[in-house]
Amino acid sequence: MAASKKAVLGPLVGAVDQGTSSTRFLVFNSRTAELLSHHQVEIKQEFPREGWVEQDPKEILHSVYECIEKTCEKLGQLNIGISNIKAIGVSNQRETTVVWDKITGEPLYNAVVWLDLRTQSTVESLSKRIPGNNNFVKSKTGLPLSTYFSAVKLRWLLDNVRKVQKAVEEKRALFGTIDSWLIWSLTGGVNGGVHCTDVTNASRTMLFNIHSLEWDKQLCEFFGIPMEILPHVRSSSEIYGLMKAGALEGVPISGCLGDQSAALVGQMCFQIGQAKNTYGTGCFLLCNTGHKCVFSDHGLLTTVAYKLGRDKPVYYALEGSVAIAGAVIRWLRDNLGIIKTSEEIEKLAKEVGTSYGCYFVPAFSGLYAPYWEPSARGIICGLTQFTNKCHIAFAALEAVCFQTREILDAMNRDCGIPLSHLQVDGGMTSNKILMQLQADILYIPVVKPLMPETTALGAAMAAGAAEGVDVWSLEPEDLSAVTMERFEPQINAEESEIRYSTWKKAVMKSMGWVTTQSPEGGDPSVFCNLPLGFFIVSSMAMLIGARYISGIP
């Protein structure tokens, strides 16, 4: 019997989407933007101490290879030849910090994840050295001094990990965010791997001048970071190197964007004033501000949106960052056992259709935008004997929507022109209750693409459009039309405002829990640093509450 003929689809582009919770590899048709196949692997998160969040860089790298191999196998089953894959883009969780040995290729410590809080004392001591009338850190980087960004994580590694210190002394150490670690490894590692990053990821380190688009000597001296360990900064769309192993050996890696920038590109927000909100582990609202850096008066970040080619102009964005969105669902699953799978949250919430006055502020890593309040910790308040796990599930979904409302309000105030609708993407957007709640709480329509993988799509677009690849046109007339699903508000504006104002009261109650924070993450015997810093504020006895939350009669 003759072998079945491979389908001819034209040039294909692959995308590595390395997130906080999982790694995926997806393959798109560059002519139609159709998703042809993908594979996903969940990534472990480690919590060695209260407030610490780590991941294994080697596990992340292995997950990328596994996803590529499995996706290629699936394409074969569809009679699609992998020789059609002409380029690969990389999208990644930002800020997460890796230091590795360029001689052995081994990580010198676990990746310190963006959510990690161990550097709070470092932040406090550094903040005392910034003149009140000259916040050069924020003016150069667009970022507030926070545990969120890479510079303080790298400073902690240099101060506390002897293997890192020794490698720096012996000129063996390389630093990078996850994109740098992956590109270096995939392009050969110890055998000529390319040590680079793109402007979007560099802009999240707090070491990068977003005006000159270079590593900043003054910032590196302020944080005490040796500049020789930093990756070379490139545009978001150019050939960095070739894959040196696996099924796609020889294919160029030619796109690189931090995940939120990738989603902005994937949502085709190329015009000034266009915005998108991505619902992943955290929640991130970005608004394209064009070639101009717009600085916020309301707690938002100024960041690099993209630079789609070496000779192309840079675009900037205002960003509202929420630390905990999808992570609260994972927490309900893994820590409380209220649900067995993340998808069950929608079913539980649907059973009651209300939180019944219960409010959940999931400030597990403090509060990000617009508050930037590291002393906050998670609370559930408004509980009664009637409250059960379904109400808490509903309150968890509402929390994601309320946090989005806060950053959208801040963005509207900064931009001066309120958004008429919100474009959304990310894994959580498959939850229809969440999307309807979001429309109700914002009191504007929420618009979702039927193909939700916009982060990976953005990385693929950048890779396919790179000079020397040229299989994906980013000209407006060539971009594929996107089919959207629309959610309209279904409650009146007054009810929406009442719910939002009650949420704001709950947020105020979440602040000030942590009053001391040692460099090691705090003494676990201190009441304010109970594991996960999680408190239930309620007028009922804790035992009764626990029985009802668990569904025990």
Side-chain angles (χ1 to χ4, degrees), residues 45-53 115-117 324 327-328 330-337 360-366 374-380 510 513-514 517 521-524 526-536:
Q45 293 181 42
E46 300 175 24
F47 307 96
R49 301 190 191 184
E50 192 273 325
W52 293 29
V53 190
L115 285 165
D116 189 279
L117 289 176
I324 303 293
V328 74
R330 187 167 177 165
W331 185 84
L332 290 174
R333 183 193 73 184
D334 296 347
N335 292 47
L336 288 196
F360 190 161
V361 183
F364 299 155
S365 295
S375 74
R377 286 297 181 270
I379 65 169
I380 300 178
S510 77
W513 286 106
V514 178
Q517 185 79 26
D523 181 351
V526 178
F527 178 72
C528 66
N529 278 339
L530 284 169
L532 275 176
F534 183 79
F535 295 85
I536 297 179

Short mmCIF file of all heavy atoms in Angstrom, two decimals, residues 45-53 115-117 324 327-328 330-337 360-366 374-380 510 513-514 517 521-524 526-536:
data_model
loop_
_atom_site.label_atom_id
_atom_site.label_comp_id
_atom_site.label_asym_id
_atom_site.label_seq_id
_atom_site.Cartn_x
_atom_site.Cartn_y
_atom_site.Cartn_z
N GLN A 45 5.44 23.86 40.67
CA GLN A 45 5.92 25.01 41.42
C GLN A 45 6.33 24.53 42.80
O GLN A 45 5.65 23.72 43.42
CB GLN A 45 4.84 26.08 41.55
CG GLN A 45 4.47 26.72 40.22
CD GLN A 45 3.41 27.78 40.36
OE1 GLN A 45 3.43 28.58 41.28
NE2 GLN A 45 2.47 27.81 39.43
N GLU A 46 7.46 25.01 43.29
CA GLU A 46 7.95 24.61 44.61
C GLU A 46 7.84 25.81 45.55
O GLU A 46 8.11 26.94 45.16
CB GLU A 46 9.41 24.14 44.50
CG GLU A 46 9.59 22.94 43.58
CD GLU A 46 11.05 22.55 43.40
OE1 GLU A 46 11.87 22.89 44.29
OE2 GLU A 46 11.37 21.95 42.37
N PHE A 47 7.46 25.51 46.79
CA PHE A 47 7.30 26.56 47.82
C PHE A 47 8.16 26.18 49.02
O PHE A 47 7.63 25.72 50.04
CB PHE A 47 5.83 26.69 48.21
CG PHE A 47 4.90 26.91 47.03
CD1 PHE A 47 4.22 25.84 46.45
CD2 PHE A 47 4.72 28.17 46.50
CE1 PHE A 47 3.38 26.03 45.36
CE2 PHE A 47 3.88 28.37 45.41
CZ PHE A 47 3.21 27.30 44.84
N PRO A 48 9.49 26.36 48.94
CA PRO A 48 10.39 25.88 50.00
C PRO A 48 10.14 26.55 51.35
O PRO A 48 10.35 25.94 52.39
CB PRO A 48 11.78 26.22 49.49
CG PRO A 48 11.64 26.66 48.08
CD PRO A 48 10.21 27.00 47.85
N ARG A 49 9.72 27.81 51.32
CA ARG A 49 9.38 28.54 52.55
C ARG A 49 8.21 29.45 52.25
O ARG A 49 7.86 29.68 51.10
CB ARG A 49 10.57 29.39 53.03
CG ARG A 49 11.83 28.59 53.33
CD ARG A 49 12.85 29.48 54.02
NE ARG A 49 14.16 28.83 54.08
CZ ARG A 49 15.21 29.34 54.70
NH1 ARG A 49 15.11 30.52 55.29
NH2 ARG A 49 16.37 28.71 54.71
N GLU A 50 7.64 29.99 53.31
CA GLU A 50 6.52 30.92 53.13
C GLU A 50 6.97 32.09 52.28
O GLU A 50 8.00 32.72 52.53
CB GLU A 50 6.05 31.40 54.51
CG GLU A 50 4.73 32.15 54.48
CD GLU A 50 4.89 33.63 54.19
OE1 GLU A 50 5.87 34.22 54.64
OE2 GLU A 50 4.01 34.18 53.51
N GLY A 51 6.23 32.34 51.21
CA GLY A 51 6.53 33.47 50.33
C GLY A 51 7.51 33.17 49.21
O GLY A 51 7.69 33.98 48.32
N TRP A 52 8.15 31.97 49.26
CA TRP A 52 9.11 31.62 48.22
C TRP A 52 8.40 30.82 47.13
O TRP A 52 7.60 29.93 47.43
CB TRP A 52 10.24 30.77 48.78
CG TRP A 52 11.15 31.46 49.76
CD1 TRP A 52 10.84 32.48 50.60
CD2 TRP A 52 12.52 31.14 50.01
NE1 TRP A 52 11.93 32.83 51.35
CE2 TRP A 52 12.98 32.02 51.02
CE3 TRP A 52 13.41 30.20 49.48
CZ2 TRP A 52 14.28 31.98 51.50
CZ3 TRP A 52 14.70 30.17 49.97
CH2 TRP A 52 15.14 31.06 50.95
N VAL A 53 8.72 31.10 45.87
CA VAL A 53 8.17 30.34 44.74
C VAL A 53 9.32 30.06 43.77
O VAL A 53 9.97 30.98 43.28
CB VAL A 53 7.05 31.12 44.00
CG1 VAL A 53 6.36 30.20 42.99
CG2 VAL A 53 6.04 31.70 44.98
N LEU A 115 6.42 35.58 41.15
CA LEU A 115 5.54 35.73 42.32
C LEU A 115 6.29 35.73 43.65
O LEU A 115 5.71 36.04 44.68
CB LEU A 115 4.53 34.58 42.34
CG LEU A 115 3.38 34.63 41.34
CD1 LEU A 115 2.71 33.27 41.23
CD2 LEU A 115 2.38 35.70 41.75
N ASP A 116 7.56 35.36 43.64
CA ASP A 116 8.33 35.14 44.86
C ASP A 116 8.48 36.44 45.68
O ASP A 116 8.69 37.51 45.13
CB ASP A 116 9.72 34.62 44.47
CG ASP A 116 10.53 34.16 45.65
OD1 ASP A 116 11.12 35.02 46.33
OD2 ASP A 116 10.59 32.94 45.89
N LEU A 117 8.38 36.29 47.02
CA LEU A 117 8.40 37.45 47.92
C LEU A 117 9.64 37.54 48.80
O LEU A 117 9.71 38.42 49.66
CB LEU A 117 7.17 37.40 48.85
CG LEU A 117 5.80 37.67 48.22
CD1 LEU A 117 4.72 37.49 49.27
CD2 LEU A 117 5.74 39.07 47.65
N ILE A 324 -2.46 37.37 41.24
CA ILE A 324 -3.18 36.09 41.40
C ILE A 324 -4.51 36.14 40.66
O ILE A 324 -5.41 36.91 41.01
CB ILE A 324 -3.45 35.79 42.90
CG1 ILE A 324 -2.13 35.77 43.69
CG2 ILE A 324 -4.20 34.47 43.05
CD1 ILE A 324 -1.19 34.64 43.34
N ALA A 327 -4.14 31.44 39.43
CA ALA A 327 -3.45 30.82 40.57
C ALA A 327 -4.40 30.57 41.74
O ALA A 327 -4.18 29.65 42.53
CB ALA A 327 -2.28 31.69 41.02
N VAL A 328 -5.45 31.37 41.86
CA VAL A 328 -6.39 31.15 42.97
C VAL A 328 -7.20 29.87 42.74
O VAL A 328 -7.54 29.16 43.69
CB VAL A 328 -7.32 32.37 43.18
CG1 VAL A 328 -8.39 32.48 42.10
CG2 VAL A 328 -7.98 32.30 44.55
N ARG A 330 -6.02 27.21 41.08
CA ARG A 330 -5.05 26.14 41.39
C ARG A 330 -4.92 25.97 42.90
O ARG A 330 -4.78 24.86 43.40
CB ARG A 330 -3.70 26.49 40.75
CG ARG A 330 -2.66 25.38 40.86
CD ARG A 330 -1.48 25.66 39.94
NE ARG A 330 -0.45 24.64 40.08
CZ ARG A 330 0.54 24.46 39.22
NH1 ARG A 330 0.62 25.23 38.15
NH2 ARG A 330 1.45 23.54 39.42
N TRP A 331 -4.97 27.07 43.64
CA TRP A 331 -4.87 27.03 45.10
C TRP A 331 -6.08 26.31 45.71
O TRP A 331 -5.93 25.49 46.63
CB TRP A 331 -4.74 28.45 45.64
CG TRP A 331 -4.51 28.52 47.12
CD1 TRP A 331 -3.33 28.42 47.79
CD2 TRP A 331 -5.51 28.74 48.12
NE1 TRP A 331 -3.54 28.55 49.13
CE2 TRP A 331 -4.86 28.74 49.36
CE3 TRP A 331 -6.89 28.91 48.07
CZ2 TRP A 331 -5.55 28.93 50.57
CZ3 TRP A 331 -7.57 29.10 49.27
CH2 TRP A 331 -6.90 29.10 50.50
N LEU A 332 -7.27 26.61 45.20
CA LEU A 332 -8.47 25.91 45.68
C LEU A 332 -8.38 24.42 45.39
O LEU A 332 -8.84 23.59 46.18
CB LEU A 332 -9.72 26.49 45.01
CG LEU A 332 -10.14 27.90 45.42
CD1 LEU A 332 -11.31 28.38 44.58
CD2 LEU A 332 -10.50 27.97 46.91
N ARG A 333 -7.75 24.06 44.26
CA ARG A 333 -7.59 22.66 43.90
C ARG A 333 -6.51 21.96 44.73
O ARG A 333 -6.76 20.91 45.33
CB ARG A 333 -7.23 22.57 42.41
CG ARG A 333 -7.11 21.16 41.86
CD ARG A 333 -6.45 21.15 40.48
NE ARG A 333 -5.02 21.43 40.58
CZ ARG A 333 -4.22 21.56 39.53
NH1 ARG A 333 -4.71 21.48 38.29
NH2 ARG A 333 -2.93 21.81 39.70
N ASP A 334 -5.32 22.56 44.77
CA ASP A 334 -4.17 21.88 45.35
C ASP A 334 -4.06 22.04 46.86
O ASP A 334 -3.59 21.13 47.56
CB ASP A 334 -2.87 22.38 44.71
CG ASP A 334 -2.79 22.06 43.23
OD1 ASP A 334 -3.61 21.24 42.75
OD2 ASP A 334 -1.93 22.64 42.54
N ASN A 335 -4.46 23.18 47.40
CA ASN A 335 -4.27 23.44 48.83
C ASN A 335 -5.52 23.15 49.67
O ASN A 335 -5.40 22.60 50.76
CB ASN A 335 -3.85 24.90 49.05
CG ASN A 335 -2.48 25.20 48.51
OD1 ASN A 335 -2.16 24.82 47.39
ND2 ASN A 335 -1.64 25.86 49.29
N LEU A 336 -6.69 23.51 49.16
CA LEU A 336 -7.91 23.27 49.93
C LEU A 336 -8.64 22.01 49.50
O LEU A 336 -9.44 21.48 50.27
CB LEU A 336 -8.87 24.46 49.82
CG LEU A 336 -8.49 25.75 50.56
CD1 LEU A 336 -9.71 26.65 50.67
CD2 LEU A 336 -7.93 25.47 51.94
N GLY A 337 -8.41 21.55 48.27
CA GLY A 337 -9.10 20.35 47.80
C GLY A 337 -10.58 20.56 47.54
O GLY A 337 -11.35 19.60 47.50
N PHE A 360 -13.51 37.39 48.39
CA PHE A 360 -12.22 36.69 48.45
C PHE A 360 -11.17 37.63 47.85
O PHE A 360 -11.26 38.00 46.68
CB PHE A 360 -12.33 35.40 47.63
CG PHE A 360 -11.19 34.41 47.77
CD1 PHE A 360 -11.37 33.10 47.40
CD2 PHE A 360 -9.94 34.79 48.25
CE1 PHE A 360 -10.35 32.17 47.51
CE2 PHE A 360 -8.91 33.88 48.36
CZ PHE A 360 -9.11 32.56 47.98
N VAL A 361 -10.19 38.03 48.65
CA VAL A 361 -9.07 38.84 48.15
C VAL A 361 -7.83 37.94 48.15
O VAL A 361 -7.23 37.70 49.19
CB VAL A 361 -8.82 40.08 49.03
CG1 VAL A 361 -7.70 40.94 48.44
CG2 VAL A 361 -10.09 40.90 49.19
N PRO A 362 -7.42 37.41 46.99
CA PRO A 362 -6.34 36.42 46.95
C PRO A 362 -4.95 37.06 46.89
O PRO A 362 -4.18 36.84 45.95
CB PRO A 362 -6.66 35.63 45.68
CG PRO A 362 -7.28 36.64 44.77
CD PRO A 362 -8.04 37.61 45.66
N ALA A 363 -4.63 37.84 47.92
CA ALA A 363 -3.36 38.58 47.92
C ALA A 363 -2.23 37.69 48.46
O ALA A 363 -1.52 38.07 49.39
CB ALA A 363 -3.51 39.85 48.75
N PHE A 364 -2.04 36.53 47.86
CA PHE A 364 -1.04 35.58 48.34
C PHE A 364 0.37 36.15 48.25
O PHE A 364 1.24 35.78 49.02
CB PHE A 364 -1.09 34.28 47.53
CG PHE A 364 -2.40 33.54 47.59
CD1 PHE A 364 -2.76 32.69 46.57
CD2 PHE A 364 -3.27 33.69 48.66
CE1 PHE A 364 -3.95 32.00 46.61
CE2 PHE A 364 -4.47 33.02 48.72
CZ PHE A 364 -4.82 32.16 47.67
N SER A 365 0.61 37.01 47.26
CA SER A 365 1.94 37.61 47.06
C SER A 365 1.86 39.12 47.22
O SER A 365 2.52 39.88 46.52
CB SER A 365 2.46 37.27 45.66
OG SER A 365 2.69 35.89 45.53
N GLY A 366 1.04 39.58 48.20
CA GLY A 366 0.79 41.00 48.32
C GLY A 366 -0.14 41.46 47.21
O GLY A 366 -0.69 40.65 46.46
N PRO A 374 3.01 45.29 49.47
CA PRO A 374 3.55 43.97 49.81
C PRO A 374 3.06 43.42 51.15
O PRO A 374 3.19 42.22 51.41
CB PRO A 374 5.06 44.20 49.83
CG PRO A 374 5.23 45.66 50.11
CD PRO A 374 4.05 46.34 49.47
N SER A 375 2.50 44.27 52.00
CA SER A 375 2.07 43.80 53.33
C SER A 375 0.72 43.08 53.28
O SER A 375 0.30 42.48 54.27
CB SER A 375 1.95 44.99 54.29
OG SER A 375 0.79 45.77 53.98
N ALA A 376 0.02 43.14 52.14
CA ALA A 376 -1.30 42.50 52.04
C ALA A 376 -1.16 40.98 51.99
O ALA A 376 -0.17 40.44 51.50
CB ALA A 376 -2.03 43.00 50.81
N ARG A 377 -2.18 40.29 52.49
CA ARG A 377 -2.27 38.83 52.38
C ARG A 377 -3.73 38.46 52.11
O ARG A 377 -4.65 39.26 52.31
CB ARG A 377 -1.77 38.13 53.65
CG ARG A 377 -0.26 38.15 53.81
CD ARG A 377 0.46 37.40 52.69
NE ARG A 377 1.90 37.39 52.84
CZ ARG A 377 2.71 38.32 52.34
NH1 ARG A 377 2.19 39.34 51.67
NH2 ARG A 377 4.01 38.24 52.51
N GLY A 378 -3.93 37.23 51.66
CA GLY A 378 -5.25 36.80 51.24
C GLY A 378 -6.25 36.72 52.37
O GLY A 378 -5.93 36.29 53.47
N ILE A 379 -7.48 37.13 52.09
CA ILE A 379 -8.56 37.00 53.06
C ILE A 379 -9.85 36.55 52.36
O ILE A 379 -10.04 36.82 51.18
CB ILE A 379 -8.85 38.31 53.85
CG1 ILE A 379 -9.36 39.41 52.90
CG2 ILE A 379 -7.63 38.77 54.61
CD1 ILE A 379 -9.92 40.62 53.63
N ILE A 380 -10.68 35.83 53.11
CA ILE A 380 -12.07 35.61 52.70
C ILE A 380 -12.92 36.25 53.79
O ILE A 380 -12.74 35.95 54.98
CB ILE A 380 -12.42 34.12 52.58
CG1 ILE A 380 -11.52 33.44 51.54
CG2 ILE A 380 -13.88 33.93 52.21
CD1 ILE A 380 -11.76 31.95 51.40
N SER A 510 -7.41 43.50 53.74
CA SER A 510 -6.31 42.57 53.45
C SER A 510 -4.94 43.19 53.68
O SER A 510 -3.93 42.48 53.75
CB SER A 510 -6.40 42.10 51.98
OG SER A 510 -5.92 43.10 51.10
N TRP A 513 -1.13 42.97 56.96
CA TRP A 513 -0.97 41.71 57.71
C TRP A 513 0.48 41.43 58.04
O TRP A 513 0.81 40.99 59.14
CB TRP A 513 -1.54 40.54 56.91
CG TRP A 513 -3.03 40.50 56.88
CD1 TRP A 513 -3.83 40.83 55.83
CD2 TRP A 513 -3.91 40.14 57.94
NE1 TRP A 513 -5.16 40.69 56.17
CE2 TRP A 513 -5.23 40.26 57.47
CE3 TRP A 513 -3.71 39.73 59.26
CZ2 TRP A 513 -6.34 39.98 58.25
CZ3 TRP A 513 -4.82 39.45 60.05
CH2 TRP A 513 -6.12 39.57 59.54
N VAL A 514 1.36 41.66 57.08
CA VAL A 514 2.78 41.38 57.30
C VAL A 514 3.45 42.65 57.78
O VAL A 514 3.47 43.65 57.08
CB VAL A 514 3.45 40.88 56.00
CG1 VAL A 514 4.94 40.64 56.23
CG2 VAL A 514 2.79 39.59 55.54
N GLN A 517 9.53 41.27 57.75
CA GLN A 517 9.89 40.29 56.71
C GLN A 517 11.41 40.16 56.71
O GLN A 517 12.13 41.07 56.34
CB GLN A 517 9.42 40.78 55.33
CG GLN A 517 9.65 39.79 54.22
CD GLN A 517 8.59 38.70 54.20
OE1 GLN A 517 7.48 38.90 54.66
NE2 GLN A 517 8.95 37.54 53.69
N GLY A 521 12.58 35.10 54.55
CA GLY A 521 11.17 34.88 54.28
C GLY A 521 10.31 34.96 55.51
O GLY A 521 9.11 34.73 55.47
N GLY A 522 10.89 35.28 56.68
CA GLY A 522 10.06 35.49 57.86
C GLY A 522 10.05 34.30 58.78
O GLY A 522 10.22 33.16 58.37
N ASP A 523 9.87 34.55 60.05
CA ASP A 523 9.79 33.50 61.06
C ASP A 523 8.42 32.88 61.02
O ASP A 523 7.42 33.56 61.25
CB ASP A 523 10.06 34.13 62.44
CG ASP A 523 10.02 33.11 63.57
OD1 ASP A 523 9.63 31.96 63.31
OD2 ASP A 523 10.37 33.48 64.70
N PRO A 524 8.31 31.56 60.73
CA PRO A 524 6.98 30.95 60.61
C PRO A 524 6.20 30.95 61.91
O PRO A 524 5.01 30.69 61.92
CB PRO A 524 7.30 29.51 60.15
CG PRO A 524 8.72 29.28 60.50
CD PRO A 524 9.39 30.60 60.45
N VAL A 526 5.72 33.61 63.66
CA VAL A 526 5.05 34.89 63.77
C VAL A 526 3.65 34.77 63.19
O VAL A 526 3.47 34.31 62.07
CB VAL A 526 5.84 35.99 63.03
CG1 VAL A 526 5.11 37.32 63.10
CG2 VAL A 526 7.24 36.13 63.64
N PHE A 527 2.65 35.23 63.91
CA PHE A 527 1.26 35.04 63.50
C PHE A 527 0.98 35.63 62.13
O PHE A 527 0.28 35.02 61.32
CB PHE A 527 0.34 35.71 64.53
CG PHE A 527 -1.11 35.63 64.19
CD1 PHE A 527 -1.80 34.43 64.27
CD2 PHE A 527 -1.80 36.75 63.75
CE1 PHE A 527 -3.14 34.35 63.94
CE2 PHE A 527 -3.14 36.68 63.43
CZ PHE A 527 -3.81 35.48 63.53
N CYS A 528 1.57 36.78 61.84
CA CYS A 528 1.25 37.43 60.57
C CYS A 528 1.87 36.70 59.39
O CYS A 528 1.56 37.02 58.26
CB CYS A 528 1.69 38.89 60.57
SG CYS A 528 3.47 39.11 60.64
N ASN A 529 2.74 35.72 59.63
CA ASN A 529 3.35 34.98 58.53
C ASN A 529 2.93 33.53 58.51
O ASN A 529 3.70 32.65 58.16
CB ASN A 529 4.88 35.07 58.60
CG ASN A 529 5.39 36.35 57.99
OD1 ASN A 529 4.67 36.96 57.21
ND2 ASN A 529 6.58 36.75 58.34
N LEU A 530 1.69 33.25 58.90
CA LEU A 530 1.18 31.89 58.78
C LEU A 530 1.31 31.43 57.34
O LEU A 530 1.27 32.25 56.43
CB LEU A 530 -0.29 31.84 59.22
CG LEU A 530 -0.53 31.88 60.74
CD1 LEU A 530 -2.00 32.10 61.00
CD2 LEU A 530 -0.05 30.63 61.42
N PRO A 531 1.45 30.09 57.08
CA PRO A 531 1.64 29.62 55.71
C PRO A 531 0.63 30.22 54.74
O PRO A 531 -0.57 30.21 55.00
CB PRO A 531 1.46 28.10 55.85
CG PRO A 531 1.91 27.82 57.24
CD PRO A 531 1.49 29.01 58.06
N LEU A 532 1.17 30.75 53.64
CA LEU A 532 0.43 31.44 52.59
C LEU A 532 -0.18 32.76 53.07
O LEU A 532 -0.87 33.44 52.33
CB LEU A 532 -0.68 30.56 52.00
CG LEU A 532 -0.24 29.64 50.90
CD1 LEU A 532 -1.39 28.76 50.46
CD2 LEU A 532 0.31 30.41 49.71
N GLY A 533 0.09 33.12 54.36
CA GLY A 533 -0.44 34.39 54.85
C GLY A 533 -1.94 34.47 54.70
O GLY A 533 -2.49 35.52 54.47
N PHE A 534 -2.63 33.34 54.85
CA PHE A 534 -4.04 33.30 54.48
C PHE A 534 -4.93 33.40 55.72
O PHE A 534 -4.77 32.66 56.66
CB PHE A 534 -4.32 31.98 53.75
CG PHE A 534 -5.73 31.89 53.26
CD1 PHE A 534 -6.11 32.54 52.10
CD2 PHE A 534 -6.67 31.20 53.97
CE1 PHE A 534 -7.39 32.47 51.66
CE2 PHE A 534 -7.97 31.13 53.52
CZ PHE A 534 -8.32 31.76 52.37
N PHE A 535 -5.85 34.33 55.71
CA PHE A 535 -6.73 34.56 56.86
C PHE A 535 -8.18 34.57 56.44
O PHE A 535 -8.51 35.09 55.39
CB PHE A 535 -6.40 35.91 57.50
CG PHE A 535 -5.02 35.94 58.09
CD1 PHE A 535 -3.93 36.23 57.30
CD2 PHE A 535 -4.81 35.64 59.42
CE1 PHE A 535 -2.66 36.25 57.82
CE2 PHE A 535 -3.55 35.66 59.94
CZ PHE A 535 -2.47 35.97 59.15
N ILE A 536 -9.01 33.99 57.24
CA ILE A 536 -10.44 34.05 57.00
C ILE A 536 -11.04 35.01 58.02
O ILE A 536 -10.98 34.78 59.21
CB ILE A 536 -11.09 32.66 57.12
CG1 ILE A 536 -10.51 31.74 56.05
CG2 ILE A 536 -12.59 32.74 57.01
CD1 ILE A 536 -11.06 30.35 56.09
#
